[in-house]
Amino acid sequence: MKMDADTSDMLSSARTMVDAVISGKAYTATEMSSLLSGLSEDLEPTMIELLYLYAESIQKSNPAWTMTLETLFNYMINDVLNDSRFESVIDSDMRKTLFEAQETIKDGKSQLVTQQYSRLVITTSYPEEGEETIAFLRSIEEYGNNNLKGKYSLSAILR
């Protein structure tokens, strides 16, 4: 019985994959891409590298890790956007959005923190007048006196 070329290629790919599974060999992204080329042309080494990064991040992640919003955007712009492996998943619109968000964060921070001062804006649902509102303002003033050694200014705009 004679096989056509497509059937022969499919069986050859299947055998290669079975051999790979049985051997237990670990493959580089390039080797894995070559191994899987019979399944799809879309599984390029860069895509496999991203899958490897994702798998490693899931295995080694720690739910207690934290990151500031500013640090996240700086990482995205300074590291991820400069990593060629992400070119296929981050389009020009996403790049633009990331740069705009980073600029918004910088502008907002510059309005709140300088060499001379840091500004804290608190929005509450307290009524404009009343004992509860006055008690809240006094608690902020007390915190400032106890923790900021009088080096603060308290302004209240009640709306």
Side-chain angles (χ1 to χ4, degrees):
M1 178 166 128
K2 195 170 188 180
M3 287 186 252
D4 64 23
D6 288 342
T7 303
S8 178
D9 287 347
M10 186 177 75
L11 288 174
S12 178
S13 290
R15 178 179 176 146
T16 301
M17 290 181 65
V18 167
D19 290 345
V21 170
I22 292 171
S23 75
K25 178 183 176 198
Y27 295 92
T28 66
T30 301
E31 292 169 332
M32 186 67 77
S33 175
S34 177
L35 180 68
L36 298 174
S37 65
L39 295 176
S40 172
E41 295 175 9
D42 295 333
L43 293 172
E44 296 176 2
T46 54
M47 182 60 72
I48 301 295
E49 285 179 17
L50 289 176
L51 291 170
Y52 282 15
L53 283 171
Y54 178 73
E56 189 70 11
S57 71
I58 294 298
Q59 293 171 14
K60 304 266 171 105
S61 73
N62 180 342
W65 288 344
T66 62
M67 184 181 293
T68 67
L69 189 60
E70 183 178 23
T71 301
L72 174 66
F73 278 92
N74 287 340
Y75 173 71
M76 292 287 296
I77 288 167
N78 298 327
D79 295 292
V80 174
L81 293 184
N82 292 319
D83 189 330
S84 61
R85 295 173 292 191
F86 291 94
E87 287 176 357
S88 65
V89 292
I90 300 177
D91 64 12
S92 61
D93 288 338
M94 177 58 78
R95 293 174 89 77
K96 181 181 175 192
T97 299
L98 289 170
F99 280 110
E100 288 172 353
Q102 184 187 43
E103 197 58 37
T104 299
I105 291 168
K106 275 188 205 174
D107 288 346
K109 186 175 180 180
S110 72
Q111 293 175 31
L112 299 174
V113 179
T114 70
Q115 292 288 342
Q116 291 78 30
Y117 68 89
S118 294
R119 179 181 298 168
L120 173 64
V121 178
I122 300 172
T123 304
T124 73
S125 58
Y126 287 110
E128 285 185 34
E129 297 179 19
E131 290 179 31
E132 190 178 23
T133 304
I134 292 168
F136 174 72
L137 292 173
R138 285 190 179 135
S139 71
I140 291 176
E141 185 176 33
E142 182 179 330
Y143 177 86
N145 289 336
N146 293 334
N147 297 288
L148 303 176
K149 301 180 179 150
K151 297 178 182 180
Y152 73 94
S153 174
L154 177 62
S155 301
I157 301 172
L158 304 173
R159 296 177 192 193

